[in-house]
Amino acid sequence: MKIIVDTSKCVGAGQCVLTEPALFDQSEDDGTIVVLNKTPEGELVEKAREAAHVCPSQALSLEE
């Protein structure tokens, strides 16, 4: 699995970070998403799916 981000869609809501801080952070400049691990494994795969699902701007997508 690979996490794909469209930062132009990101509104900085931070739902991804709240879902899994081991995978996501937010830019200090504008609050947009920063992916810490683009290729999660194990239990982090499900967390990545959950983060993509709860993203209000649909800035996250997953390539299986």
Side-chain angles (χ1 to χ4, degrees), residues 1-35:
M1 166 188 286
K2 183 177 179 183
I3 298 172
I4 300 168
V5 176
D6 183 346
T7 54
S8 69
K9 288 183 177 180
C10 183
V11 296
Q15 294 302 304
C16 55
V17 180
L18 293 172
T19 300
E20 187 49 64
L23 290 176
F24 306 103
D25 200 355
Q26 287 180 277
S27 166
E28 290 187 22
D29 295 331
D30 59 7
T32 57
I33 186 173
V34 174
V35 180

Side-chain angles (χ1 to χ4, degrees), residues 34-57:
V34 174
V35 180
L36 302 175
N37 179 355
K38 292 185 181 198
T39 55
E41 296 179 356
E43 65 185 46
L44 291 178
V45 169
E46 189 55 39
K47 289 294 191 175
R49 286 187 182 118
E50 183 180 342
H53 178 73
V54 300
C55 179
S57 61

